[in-house]
Amino acid sequence: MNPHDFTWIFALGIVGSICDAFGIGANDVANSFASSVSSGSLTLAQACIIAVFTEFLGAFLLGSNTSETIKGGILSVNLFVSQPEILMLGMLCALIGSASWVLFASKKGMPVSTTHSIVGAIMGVGIAAFGGGAIQWGYSGVAKIITSWFVSPVAAGLVTSIIYLPTRYFILEHPDSLERGIKAIPIYFFITSLISAFYIIYKGAPGTKAAKMPIGTTIGISFGVAAGVTAFAWVFFVKWLRRRVIGKEDIRWYHLPVVHFVKHRPMPEPAPVLSAEASSELESGAGEAQDKMTLGTKGIYSDIDIDENTGALPSDAVEGNKFSFAKLAKRLKYYALRGVNKDVRNLDNKKLANVHDAARKFDDDTEYLFSFLQVITACLASFSHGSNDVANAAGPIAAIYEIWKTAQVDTSGKAPVPMWILAMAGAAIDLGLLTFGYHVMRKLGNGVTYLSPSRGFAAELGTSLTVLTASKIGLPVSTTHCITGAITAIGLCNGNFRALNWKMLMWCFLSWIITLPVAGVVAGLLFAFGSNAPNKFI
């Protein structure tokens, strides 16, 4: 093989990597924001807007460590030294096998592990190529990853419990929980910002010296950042909360920096309640206006006739209907935003009523205090997810690219992952969340147990700690496992087994179990077919 041979494998590998990253966004990114959306701290649209930036930055800046593990830590690449093009083909088949399963599972709303999927696919390729000896079964390879599958949900659950239980007993259950919560908020900001700053600096961005700084310097900078955030929270945020939550003033988020200088702003008077007779007249008038708008001018249907749920025209309007830019714009808007205009909270789901009723509810105003913290932890969880799970799509295409460029197999496993690959995968992850992520998000969060802002804050912070720690040491843990373990721990902290949807948990466990063999079989069969085809097709 010569450099730049088999360009078609490289080109198809890029497509496969994009599809796999799209599936990661559609499936795994929902995990990062499921608790925030389920608790009501963020709307689905707001979560998607935040994730567009945090997922991409996490993947682009901090995604190289785990990409190297996926790229060369599972297969014994030495077996491919004499035939580099076979390893290229194998990584292509692994991407196709992984992407096929993840996209299918996402469509069905199955919260599978994309880490499981790509690991299973690479194992399938290795076994199809050289038998079981091609796989690094020891702790330096598969065993290390399998261990993380069991350790990560337990670790995330324990950390989440340590965060949530003191919050519950010392704040939420106190008779004056609101006052205690307001006084404690700066402390929570200190802890959250300290952890966030430490892990981001400690992991370090490629091309900088952040990761090489002495641990003492890292801790010092982290404490400085946390102290600054805490001071701001104490001086401005606490005052803002007292006026908005206790004083019931019409204080907006943009008043936060100048809250001490804003005059009293009473809440606007609620709209008057119409009598039954007046409401009937109003509905009648609205109906007549609607009929006139529907009829339009000269028999042309207006853009209002496009169905909000399907983006389609009514059947009786198809014939003789003329082109309308307004109608086209509305239809394009529908398809562009349909992925973020979905109800994923499951609060009105009658099948989950018993599960939600079994969870203890606390004061709404006190829970509201944790909404702001949860936004921060959601960003951290998303950032850590981008840094960890981008490896699932970036690792195989990085291996393909290296071989295509050099015609050699890198046996050291230390070659850096090109930044353009991380950027491409990060962008595809964002696209998957925006258009397809709502399927899985419906299953998590309130689908497992009742989540409030305080519960969601603890679950996200516990998940972030687990994922970021694993990402730093190059261990590609499953974000799905971590967030599921954290949410399960929250449900158990209610002290009532009925507060958990055990059927949903079993569904999650089943999807995890079948992911590895299904992705492995698909990728292995593709590789067996391609590697044994006539030479002119290879």
Side-chain angles (χ1 to χ4, degrees):
M1 176 183 176
N2 298 314
H4 299 162
D5 281 350
F6 301 98
T7 302
W8 67 271
I9 296 181
F10 176 45
L12 289 179
I14 291 177
V15 176
S17 178
I18 291 174
C19 291
D20 201 34
F22 181 92
I24 292 170
N27 205 294
D28 263 10
V29 179
N31 306 329
S32 301
F33 284 95
S35 55
S36 295
V37 176
S38 297
S39 67
S41 295
L42 290 171
T43 65
L44 179 57
Q46 290 170 337
C48 289
I49 292 173
I50 293 174
V52 164
F53 297 98
T54 54
E55 288 284 334
F56 179 84
L57 290 175
F60 183 69
L61 296 177
L62 306 179
S64 58
N65 284 351
T66 51
S67 294
E68 292 172 5
T69 301
I70 289 292
K71 181 177 63 178
I74 300 169
L75 274 176
S76 296
V77 294
N78 291 327
L79 297 173
F80 296 88
V81 170
S82 60
Q83 292 180 295
E85 65 274 13
I86 295 298
L87 182 57
M88 287 180 68
L89 178 64
M91 288 298 173
L92 170 62
C93 294
L95 284 171
I96 295 174
S98 175
S100 300
W101 168 245
V102 172
L103 290 174
F104 172 81
S106 299
K107 176 63 177 177
K108 298 299 182 181
M110 299 170 63
V112 301
S113 168
T114 57
T115 305
H116 278 208
S117 186
I118 191 64
V119 169
I122 292 177
M123 289 176 63
V125 167
I127 293 173
F130 297 102
I135 306 300
Q136 295 184 17
W137 299 101
Y139 194 74
S140 61
V142 175
K144 182 179 181 181
I145 296 172
I146 292 178
T147 300
S148 75
W149 298 345
F150 297 97
V151 173
S152 56
V154 175
L158 290 175
V159 174
T160 299
S161 300
I162 292 172
I163 296 170
Y164 176 69
L165 288 176
T167 302
R168 173 184 171 179
Y169 290 121
F170 293 108
I171 296 178
L172 297 173
E173 292 186 351
H174 193 270
D176 194 8
S177 62
L178 181 57
E179 182 62 29
R180 275 206 173 188
I182 290 179
K183 290 180 178 179
I185 279 296
I187 300 175
Y188 280 95
F189 267 99
F190 177 82
I191 296 172
T192 304
S193 56
L194 175 65
I195 293 171
S196 303
F198 176 79
Y199 273 94
I200 290 174
I201 297 171
Y202 182 60
K203 192 174 191 305
T208 70
K209 298 181 180 180
K212 298 180 180 179
M213 288 193 302
I215 188 66
T217 303
T218 301
I219 293 175
I221 294 174
S222 302
F223 269 93
V225 171
V229 172
T230 304
F232 180 85
W234 190 274
V235 175
F236 297 100
F237 190 60
V238 168
K239 179 67 174 179
W240 187 90
L241 284 174
R242 289 190 179 278
R243 293 186 62 176
R244 181 172 178 84
V245 181
I246 298 179
K248 304 298 181 183
E249 294 187 50
D250 187 22
I251 297 291
R252 306 300 176 89
W253 63 268
Y254 49 79
H255 292 133
L256 190 57
V258 293
V259 66
H260 291 280
F261 306 100
V262 177
K263 295 181 179 180
H264 179 68
R265 293 172 59 90
M267 283 289 184
E269 293 293 331
V273 180
L274 297 177
S275 64
E277 183 178 352
S279 298
S280 178
E281 293 179 358
L282 183 61
E283 291 176 1
S284 176
E288 292 177 2
Q290 176 71 34
D291 291 340
K292 292 179 181 179
M293 293 179 69
T294 303
L295 182 59
T297 306
K298 296 181 181 180
I300 300 175
Y301 281 75
S302 67
D303 64 301
I304 195 174
D305 300 308
I306 296 178
D307 190 282
E308 289 288 349
N309 295 319
T310 64
L313 291 167
S315 57
D316 61 346
V318 176
E319 294 185 4
N321 189 56
K322 295 183 178 180
F323 178 80
S324 168
F325 281 106
K327 190 181 301 178
L328 176 63
K330 185 165 185 178
R331 183 172 294 182
L332 292 176
K333 178 182 177 182
Y334 162 78
Y335 284 114
L337 299 178
R338 69 183 300 268
V340 299
N341 290 330
K342 301 289 185 179
D343 179 20
V344 297
R345 296 190 65 190
N346 284 323
L347 293 179
D348 298 326
N349 191 327
K350 295 181 179 179
K351 296 180 180 179
L352 297 173
N354 292 333
V355 174
H356 294 172
D357 291 341
R360 184 172 177 181
K361 312 300 190 299
F362 301 103
D363 179 66
D364 289 340
D365 287 338
T366 307
E367 289 281 6
Y368 176 75
L369 304 180
F370 290 89
S371 297
F372 305 92
L373 286 167
Q374 196 178 9
V375 173
I376 297 175
T377 54
C379 293
L380 179 61
S382 178
F383 189 86
S384 63
H385 173 269
S387 70
N388 187 76
D389 281 24
V390 69
N392 301 337
I397 186 60
I400 293 174
Y401 174 67
E402 285 178 9
I403 297 172
W404 176 78
K405 184 174 65 173
T406 65
Q408 295 179 349
V409 174
D410 175 33
T411 58
S412 68
K414 298 297 182 181
V417 179
M419 299 304 292
W420 68 267
I421 290 180
L422 295 175
M424 176 187 70
I429 287 173
D430 287 340
L431 184 62
L433 172 66
L434 289 170
T435 57
F436 227 53
Y438 65 92
H439 289 288
V440 174
M441 201 173 289
R442 282 174 174 164
K443 300 291 185 180
L444 293 174
N446 287 325
V448 175
T449 188
Y450 172 78
L451 285 181
S452 61
S454 63
R455 293 175 167 96
F457 158 72
E460 287 173 353
L461 189 57
T463 297
S464 299
L465 282 169
T466 305
V467 173
L468 281 170
T469 301
S471 183
K472 174 60 184 177
I473 63 177
L475 181 62
V477 300
S478 168
T479 310
T480 304
H481 286 192
C482 289
I483 191 63
T484 304
I487 292 176
T488 301
I490 287 294
L492 293 175
C493 285
N494 287 291
N496 189 340
F497 283 93
R498 292 181 300 173
L500 277 169
N501 183 359
W502 293 101
K503 183 178 179 180
M504 179 61 204
L505 287 175
M506 292 302 105
W507 174 251
C508 290
F509 295 152
L510 175 63
S511 67
W512 296 350
I513 292 171
I514 64 176
T515 291
L516 191 146
V518 169
V521 168
V522 173
L525 290 176
L526 284 174
F527 179 81
F529 173 79
S531 61
N532 291 289
N535 289 336
K536 65 180 180 180
F537 292 115
I538 298 179

PDB file of all heavy atoms in Angstrom, residues 15-43:
ATOM      1  N   VAL A  15     -18.014   9.599   6.248  1.00  0.00           N
ATOM      2  CA  VAL A  15     -19.476   9.499   6.303  1.00  0.00           C
ATOM      3  C   VAL A  15     -19.917   8.654   7.497  1.00  0.00           C
ATOM      4  O   VAL A  15     -20.831   9.020   8.245  1.00  0.00           O
ATOM      5  CB  VAL A  15     -20.026   8.911   4.990  1.00  0.00           C
ATOM      6  CG1 VAL A  15     -21.535   8.714   5.086  1.00  0.00           C
ATOM      7  CG2 VAL A  15     -19.672   9.802   3.810  1.00  0.00           C
ATOM      8  N   GLY A  16     -19.237   7.507   7.679  1.00  0.00           N
ATOM      9  CA  GLY A  16     -19.585   6.651   8.805  1.00  0.00           C
ATOM     10  C   GLY A  16     -19.344   7.314  10.144  1.00  0.00           C
ATOM     11  O   GLY A  16     -20.133   7.161  11.083  1.00  0.00           O
ATOM     12  N   SER A  17     -18.268   8.088  10.248  1.00  0.00           N
ATOM     13  CA  SER A  17     -17.966   8.796  11.491  1.00  0.00           C
ATOM     14  C   SER A  17     -19.021   9.853  11.791  1.00  0.00           C
ATOM     15  O   SER A  17     -19.445  10.011  12.943  1.00  0.00           O
ATOM     16  CB  SER A  17     -16.580   9.445  11.393  1.00  0.00           C
ATOM     17  OG  SER A  17     -16.276  10.168  12.567  1.00  0.00           O
ATOM     18  N   ILE A  18     -19.444  10.562  10.758  1.00  0.00           N
ATOM     19  CA  ILE A  18     -20.490  11.573  10.946  1.00  0.00           C
ATOM     20  C   ILE A  18     -21.789  10.916  11.389  1.00  0.00           C
ATOM     21  O   ILE A  18     -22.476  11.406  12.301  1.00  0.00           O
ATOM     22  CB  ILE A  18     -20.689  12.373   9.646  1.00  0.00           C
ATOM     23  CG1 ILE A  18     -19.455  13.245   9.368  1.00  0.00           C
ATOM     24  CG2 ILE A  18     -21.947  13.238   9.720  1.00  0.00           C
ATOM     25  CD1 ILE A  18     -19.497  13.959   8.030  1.00  0.00           C
ATOM     26  N   CYS A  19     -22.145   9.794  10.770  1.00  0.00           N
ATOM     27  CA  CYS A  19     -23.376   9.083  11.157  1.00  0.00           C
ATOM     28  C   CYS A  19     -23.290   8.573  12.594  1.00  0.00           C
ATOM     29  O   CYS A  19     -24.265   8.647  13.356  1.00  0.00           O
ATOM     30  CB  CYS A  19     -23.630   7.921  10.201  1.00  0.00           C
ATOM     31  SG  CYS A  19     -24.084   8.406   8.527  1.00  0.00           S
ATOM     32  N   ASP A  20     -22.115   8.067  12.974  1.00  0.00           N
ATOM     33  CA  ASP A  20     -21.953   7.571  14.337  1.00  0.00           C
ATOM     34  C   ASP A  20     -22.033   8.718  15.344  1.00  0.00           C
ATOM     35  O   ASP A  20     -22.675   8.596  16.401  1.00  0.00           O
ATOM     36  CB  ASP A  20     -20.612   6.850  14.465  1.00  0.00           C
ATOM     37  CG  ASP A  20     -20.582   5.900  15.647  1.00  0.00           C
ATOM     38  OD1 ASP A  20     -21.635   5.306  15.950  1.00  0.00           O
ATOM     39  OD2 ASP A  20     -19.525   5.745  16.260  1.00  0.00           O
ATOM     40  N   ALA A  21     -21.401   9.843  15.020  1.00  0.00           N
ATOM     41  CA  ALA A  21     -21.467  11.006  15.905  1.00  0.00           C
ATOM     42  C   ALA A  21     -22.893  11.556  15.980  1.00  0.00           C
ATOM     43  O   ALA A  21     -23.339  12.003  17.044  1.00  0.00           O
ATOM     44  CB  ALA A  21     -20.507  12.092  15.409  1.00  0.00           C
ATOM     45  N   PHE A  22     -23.620  11.516  14.866  1.00  0.00           N
ATOM     46  CA  PHE A  22     -25.023  11.934  14.861  1.00  0.00           C
ATOM     47  C   PHE A  22     -25.826  11.061  15.827  1.00  0.00           C
ATOM     48  O   PHE A  22     -26.651  11.557  16.599  1.00  0.00           O
ATOM     49  CB  PHE A  22     -25.584  11.813  13.440  1.00  0.00           C
ATOM     50  CG  PHE A  22     -27.020  12.243  13.302  1.00  0.00           C
ATOM     51  CD1 PHE A  22     -27.331  13.548  12.969  1.00  0.00           C
ATOM     52  CD2 PHE A  22     -28.062  11.340  13.498  1.00  0.00           C
ATOM     53  CE1 PHE A  22     -28.658  13.946  12.831  1.00  0.00           C
ATOM     54  CE2 PHE A  22     -29.377  11.727  13.373  1.00  0.00           C
ATOM     55  CZ  PHE A  22     -29.674  13.045  13.029  1.00  0.00           C
ATOM     56  N   GLY A  23     -25.560   9.747  15.789  1.00  0.00           N
ATOM     57  CA  GLY A  23     -26.236   8.845  16.712  1.00  0.00           C
ATOM     58  C   GLY A  23     -25.873   9.113  18.161  1.00  0.00           C
ATOM     59  O   GLY A  23     -26.710   8.989  19.061  1.00  0.00           O
ATOM     60  N   ILE A  24     -24.622   9.489  18.409  1.00  0.00           N
ATOM     61  CA  ILE A  24     -24.207   9.827  19.771  1.00  0.00           C
ATOM     62  C   ILE A  24     -25.001  11.031  20.269  1.00  0.00           C
ATOM     63  O   ILE A  24     -25.478  11.053  21.408  1.00  0.00           O
ATOM     64  CB  ILE A  24     -22.700  10.135  19.809  1.00  0.00           C
ATOM     65  CG1 ILE A  24     -21.894   8.871  19.528  1.00  0.00           C
ATOM     66  CG2 ILE A  24     -22.292  10.724  21.157  1.00  0.00           C
ATOM     67  CD1 ILE A  24     -20.415   9.127  19.317  1.00  0.00           C
ATOM     68  N   GLY A  25     -25.161  12.034  19.410  1.00  0.00           N
ATOM     69  CA  GLY A  25     -25.945  13.204  19.802  1.00  0.00           C
ATOM     70  C   GLY A  25     -27.398  12.861  20.039  1.00  0.00           C
ATOM     71  O   GLY A  25     -28.030  13.359  20.982  1.00  0.00           O
ATOM     72  N   ALA A  26     -27.929  11.975  19.192  1.00  0.00           N
ATOM     73  CA  ALA A  26     -29.341  11.597  19.316  1.00  0.00           C
ATOM     74  C   ALA A  26     -29.596  10.731  20.532  1.00  0.00           C
ATOM     75  O   ALA A  26     -30.706  10.726  21.071  1.00  0.00           O
ATOM     76  CB  ALA A  26     -29.789  10.853  18.056  1.00  0.00           C
ATOM     77  N   ASN A  27     -28.585  10.008  20.993  1.00  0.00           N
ATOM     78  CA  ASN A  27     -28.791   9.062  22.085  1.00  0.00           C
ATOM     79  C   ASN A  27     -28.124   9.515  23.381  1.00  0.00           C
ATOM     80  O   ASN A  27     -28.794   9.752  24.382  1.00  0.00           O
ATOM     81  CB  ASN A  27     -28.252   7.683  21.673  1.00  0.00           C
ATOM     82  CG  ASN A  27     -28.933   6.554  22.417  1.00  0.00           C
ATOM     83  OD1 ASN A  27     -28.796   6.415  23.615  1.00  0.00           O
ATOM     84  ND2 ASN A  27     -29.698   5.754  21.692  1.00  0.00           N
ATOM     85  N   ASP A  28     -26.815   9.667  23.348  1.00  0.00           N
ATOM     86  CA  ASP A  28     -26.092   9.921  24.589  1.00  0.00           C
ATOM     87  C   ASP A  28     -26.219  11.354  25.097  1.00  0.00           C
ATOM     88  O   ASP A  28     -26.207  11.595  26.297  1.00  0.00           O
ATOM     89  CB  ASP A  28     -24.608   9.590  24.409  1.00  0.00           C
ATOM     90  CG  ASP A  28     -24.295   8.194  24.920  1.00  0.00           C
ATOM     91  OD1 ASP A  28     -25.240   7.461  25.225  1.00  0.00           O
ATOM     92  OD2 ASP A  28     -23.111   7.838  25.010  1.00  0.00           O
ATOM     93  N   VAL A  29     -26.299  12.336  24.197  1.00  0.00           N
ATOM     94  CA  VAL A  29     -26.369  13.719  24.665  1.00  0.00           C
ATOM     95  C   VAL A  29     -27.674  13.963  25.411  1.00  0.00           C
ATOM     96  O   VAL A  29     -27.743  14.803  26.313  1.00  0.00           O
ATOM     97  CB  VAL A  29     -26.217  14.712  23.495  1.00  0.00           C
ATOM     98  CG1 VAL A  29     -26.313  16.145  23.983  1.00  0.00           C
ATOM     99  CG2 VAL A  29     -24.875  14.508  22.820  1.00  0.00           C
ATOM    100  N   ALA A  30     -28.709  13.208  25.047  1.00  0.00           N
ATOM    101  CA  ALA A  30     -29.963  13.311  25.796  1.00  0.00           C
ATOM    102  C   ALA A  30     -29.736  13.011  27.273  1.00  0.00           C
ATOM    103  O   ALA A  30     -30.412  13.558  28.145  1.00  0.00           O
ATOM    104  CB  ALA A  30     -30.996  12.346  25.212  1.00  0.00           C
ATOM    105  N   ASN A  31     -28.747  12.151  27.567  1.00  0.00           N
ATOM    106  CA  ASN A  31     -28.448  11.831  28.958  1.00  0.00           C
ATOM    107  C   ASN A  31     -27.978  13.057  29.731  1.00  0.00           C
ATOM    108  O   ASN A  31     -28.318  13.236  30.900  1.00  0.00           O
ATOM    109  CB  ASN A  31     -27.351  10.760  29.029  1.00  0.00           C
ATOM    110  CG  ASN A  31     -27.697   9.534  28.226  1.00  0.00           C
ATOM    111  OD1 ASN A  31     -28.858   9.192  28.088  1.00  0.00           O
ATOM    112  ND2 ASN A  31     -26.694   8.867  27.686  1.00  0.00           N
ATOM    113  N   SER A  32     -27.181  13.890  29.069  1.00  0.00           N
ATOM    114  CA  SER A  32     -26.604  15.046  29.760  1.00  0.00           C
ATOM    115  C   SER A  32     -27.661  16.045  30.196  1.00  0.00           C
ATOM    116  O   SER A  32     -27.508  16.713  31.222  1.00  0.00           O
ATOM    117  CB  SER A  32     -25.594  15.744  28.833  1.00  0.00           C
ATOM    118  OG  SER A  32     -24.566  14.860  28.451  1.00  0.00           O
ATOM    119  N   PHE A  33     -28.739  16.166  29.427  1.00  0.00           N
ATOM    120  CA  PHE A  33     -29.743  17.185  29.717  1.00  0.00           C
ATOM    121  C   PHE A  33     -31.093  16.611  30.107  1.00  0.00           C
ATOM    122  O   PHE A  33     -32.030  17.375  30.351  1.00  0.00           O
ATOM    123  CB  PHE A  33     -29.918  18.098  28.492  1.00  0.00           C
ATOM    124  CG  PHE A  33     -28.795  19.077  28.312  1.00  0.00           C
ATOM    125  CD1 PHE A  33     -27.738  18.793  27.472  1.00  0.00           C
ATOM    126  CD2 PHE A  33     -28.786  20.278  28.995  1.00  0.00           C
ATOM    127  CE1 PHE A  33     -26.696  19.687  27.313  1.00  0.00           C
ATOM    128  CE2 PHE A  33     -27.754  21.178  28.845  1.00  0.00           C
ATOM    129  CZ  PHE A  33     -26.695  20.883  27.992  1.00  0.00           C
ATOM    130  N   ALA A  34     -31.207  15.286  30.166  1.00  0.00           N
ATOM    131  CA  ALA A  34     -32.505  14.687  30.481  1.00  0.00           C
ATOM    132  C   ALA A  34     -33.022  15.151  31.835  1.00  0.00           C
ATOM    133  O   ALA A  34     -34.204  15.476  31.992  1.00  0.00           O
ATOM    134  CB  ALA A  34     -32.394  13.161  30.455  1.00  0.00           C
ATOM    135  N   SER A  35     -32.160  15.189  32.846  1.00  0.00           N
ATOM    136  CA  SER A  35     -32.610  15.584  34.183  1.00  0.00           C
ATOM    137  C   SER A  35     -32.945  17.060  34.253  1.00  0.00           C
ATOM    138  O   SER A  35     -33.876  17.460  34.961  1.00  0.00           O
ATOM    139  CB  SER A  35     -31.548  15.224  35.225  1.00  0.00           C
ATOM    140  OG  SER A  35     -30.302  15.782  34.891  1.00  0.00           O
ATOM    141  N   SER A  36     -32.215  17.910  33.519  1.00  0.00           N
ATOM    142  CA  SER A  36     -32.508  19.354  33.515  1.00  0.00           C
ATOM    143  C   SER A  36     -33.860  19.638  32.879  1.00  0.00           C
ATOM    144  O   SER A  36     -34.640  20.450  33.384  1.00  0.00           O
ATOM    145  CB  SER A  36     -31.418  20.121  32.763  1.00  0.00           C
ATOM    146  OG  SER A  36     -30.191  20.037  33.417  1.00  0.00           O
ATOM    147  N   VAL A  37     -34.133  18.972  31.766  1.00  0.00           N
ATOM    148  CA  VAL A  37     -35.406  19.180  31.078  1.00  0.00           C
ATOM    149  C   VAL A  37     -36.542  18.536  31.870  1.00  0.00           C
ATOM    150  O   VAL A  37     -37.626  19.107  32.011  1.00  0.00           O
ATOM    151  CB  VAL A  37     -35.338  18.606  29.645  1.00  0.00           C
ATOM    152  CG1 VAL A  37     -36.685  18.724  28.954  1.00  0.00           C
ATOM    153  CG2 VAL A  37     -34.269  19.333  28.835  1.00  0.00           C
ATOM    154  N   SER A  38     -36.307  17.349  32.422  1.00  0.00           N
ATOM    155  CA  SER A  38     -37.349  16.652  33.167  1.00  0.00           C
ATOM    156  C   SER A  38     -37.755  17.413  34.421  1.00  0.00           C
ATOM    157  O   SER A  38     -38.918  17.402  34.822  1.00  0.00           O
ATOM    158  CB  SER A  38     -36.870  15.247  33.560  1.00  0.00           C
ATOM    159  OG  SER A  38     -36.626  14.465  32.411  1.00  0.00           O
ATOM    160  N   SER A  39     -36.792  18.082  35.070  1.00  0.00           N
ATOM    161  CA  SER A  39     -37.096  18.829  36.292  1.00  0.00           C
ATOM    162  C   SER A  39     -37.715  20.193  36.006  1.00  0.00           C
ATOM    163  O   SER A  39     -38.221  20.837  36.924  1.00  0.00           O
ATOM    164  CB  SER A  39     -35.826  19.023  37.110  1.00  0.00           C
ATOM    165  OG  SER A  39     -34.914  19.879  36.446  1.00  0.00           O
ATOM    166  N   GLY A  40     -37.660  20.634  34.751  1.00  0.00           N
ATOM    167  CA  GLY A  40     -38.226  21.932  34.403  1.00  0.00           C
ATOM    168  C   GLY A  40     -37.250  23.078  34.515  1.00  0.00           C
ATOM    169  O   GLY A  40     -37.623  24.242  34.290  1.00  0.00           O
ATOM    170  N   SER A  41     -35.986  22.810  34.849  1.00  0.00           N
ATOM    171  CA  SER A  41     -34.997  23.878  34.941  1.00  0.00           C
ATOM    172  C   SER A  41     -34.692  24.466  33.569  1.00  0.00           C
ATOM    173  O   SER A  41     -34.354  25.641  33.448  1.00  0.00           O
ATOM    174  CB  SER A  41     -33.708  23.359  35.582  1.00  0.00           C
ATOM    175  OG  SER A  41     -33.932  22.981  36.921  1.00  0.00           O
ATOM    176  N   LEU A  42     -34.768  23.639  32.547  1.00  0.00           N
ATOM    177  CA  LEU A  42     -34.546  24.077  31.175  1.00  0.00           C
ATOM    178  C   LEU A  42     -35.645  23.509  30.290  1.00  0.00           C
ATOM    179  O   LEU A  42     -36.144  22.408  30.536  1.00  0.00           O
ATOM    180  CB  LEU A  42     -33.182  23.584  30.657  1.00  0.00           C
ATOM    181  CG  LEU A  42     -31.907  24.198  31.241  1.00  0.00           C
ATOM    182  CD1 LEU A  42     -30.698  23.421  30.754  1.00  0.00           C
ATOM    183  CD2 LEU A  42     -31.785  25.665  30.849  1.00  0.00           C
ATOM    184  N   THR A  43     -36.002  24.261  29.274  1.00  0.00           N
ATOM    185  CA  THR A  43     -36.867  23.701  28.248  1.00  0.00           C
ATOM    186  C   THR A  43     -35.997  22.885  27.293  1.00  0.00           C
ATOM    187  O   THR A  43     -34.764  23.001  27.291  1.00  0.00           O
ATOM    188  CB  THR A  43     -37.588  24.803  27.455  1.00  0.00           C
ATOM    189  OG1 THR A  43     -36.607  25.576  26.728  1.00  0.00           O
ATOM    190  CG2 THR A  43     -38.364  25.713  28.392  1.00  0.00           C
TER     191      THR A  43
END
